[in-house]
Amino acid sequence: MSPSPPPATTVTKAVIPAAGLGTRFLPATKAMPKEMLPVVDRPAIQYVVEEAAGAGLSDLLVITGRNKRPLEDHFDHAWELEEALTRKGDEGRLRSVRESTALAAIHYVRQGTPAGLGHAVLCAQQHVGDEPFAVLLGDDLIDPRDPLLTRMIEVRERFGGSVVALMETDPASIHLYGCAAVEPTAQDDVVRLTDLVEKPAPGQAPSAYAVIGRYLLDPAVFEVLRRTPPGHGGEIQLTDALRELAHGGAASPGGPVHGVLFTGRRYDTGDRAEYLRTIVRLAYEHDDLGPGFREWLTAFVDAEREAPTAAADGGPGVAA
Ligand code: UTP
């Protein structure tokens, strides 16, 4: 897909938290951030950086943790590799290696302790200053064909305050997310938040709307985060700070909070099963790998239907 030029926007800064422990993905994430796990042919976080740059956000701050090295190296020049590829005349691979360094100005700050998403966002205060900013979770991918961030920026320009992205989720999964109580606005895809609950207990969810990993925040959120005590899981939750902004409405600095109802394609690569589905989907549609992969996948599924390996062996099959 050839990228169109980024739109001119009132928001230029984005924060990408990537300092979580990634416990759902252990042991793969023991020595490597989950944001660096490959999704087809590049690490998950590269898609997120491409999305931010595509929406006109040119100044990115990545919140890193104890395994920050691979993240920084990926977006930096790799001189030895570039020289070797230049010597070989391998233009295609050289381009792919250089691509990640040219996307945006990327800065890093370290979150000493992974004390929660709210705490990770607070680590960005000095860099962000007094401007509205976007937050993109580093393991949450939005398909570039469904430009969510651009719509969120429009909504902030129209309503002010802060904006979250909401997705309708089935009741069995809502306890995994922050969940929003909402009321309608004059725009079909925009709602006003009246309440927010982090990971509601079964039966306690105020709606089916889950908060997904894109936010457009007013800088007033930093002051709220400063005094937000640890919440669910003993972590400082961004949801708790946003709840305060939502309760205050237009009267509170940083409020009101609106939600964009997203119906596009989202891939949560921090969850093992969803990670596998993401890779299959994106490989299936890939310009270069797609045709061969589709052929193999179809043959594989047909063969499995005929003679299921997993059922026969009593466990997952291993390719020879
Ligand atoms: P998650 O809750 O998905 O990340 O946070 P996690 O804690 O690493 O996940 P599990 O449950 O242990 O597998 C959402 C995003 O916020 C970042 C994560 O890196 C992820 O991108 N995060 C979370 C931080 O940067 N710091 C934190 O303290 C917590």
Side-chain angles (χ1 to χ4, degrees), residues 198-257:
E198 179 64 21
K199 300 192 170 68
Q204 304 289 304
S207 76
Y209 289 120
V211 180
I212 59 166
R214 297 294 177 272
Y215 307 81
L216 208 66
L217 301 178
D218 187 278
V221 75
F222 289 126
E223 285 319 305
V224 180
L225 280 169
R226 272 189 186 290
R227 52 185 156 75
T228 299
H232 190 275
E235 297 187 336
I236 297 175
Q237 298 289 352
L238 182 57
T239 308
D240 292 340
L242 290 174
R243 183 196 309 121
E244 188 174 322
L245 298 187
H247 283 173
S252 78
V257 182

Side-chain angles (χ1 to χ4, degrees), residues 60-81:
L60 310 189
L61 179 73
V62 180
I63 313 294
T64 62
R66 67 196 171 89
N67 301 323
K68 69 170 187 167
R69 190 65 200 275
L71 278 162
E72 293 199 356
D73 284 351
H74 183 72
F75 292 105
D76 198 357
H77 278 288
W79 296 112
E80 285 173 22
L81 198 53

Side-chain angles (χ1 to χ4, degrees), residues 16-26 29 33-35 45 62-65 111 113-121 123 135-140 176 198-199 213 215 235-237 268 270-271:
I16 303 181
L21 293 178
T23 52
R24 282 169 296 159
F25 231 121
L26 285 169
T29 47
K34 64 177 165 180
E35 291 78 6
I45 195 167
V62 180
I63 313 294
T64 62
Q111 183 188 18
T113 322
L117 177 58
H119 182 256
V121 170
C123 294
V135 174
L136 294 84
L137 301 193
D139 59 345
D140 207 347
L176 302 171
E198 179 64 21
K199 300 192 170 68
Y215 307 81
E235 297 187 336
I236 297 175
Q237 298 289 352
D268 175 8
D271 173 81

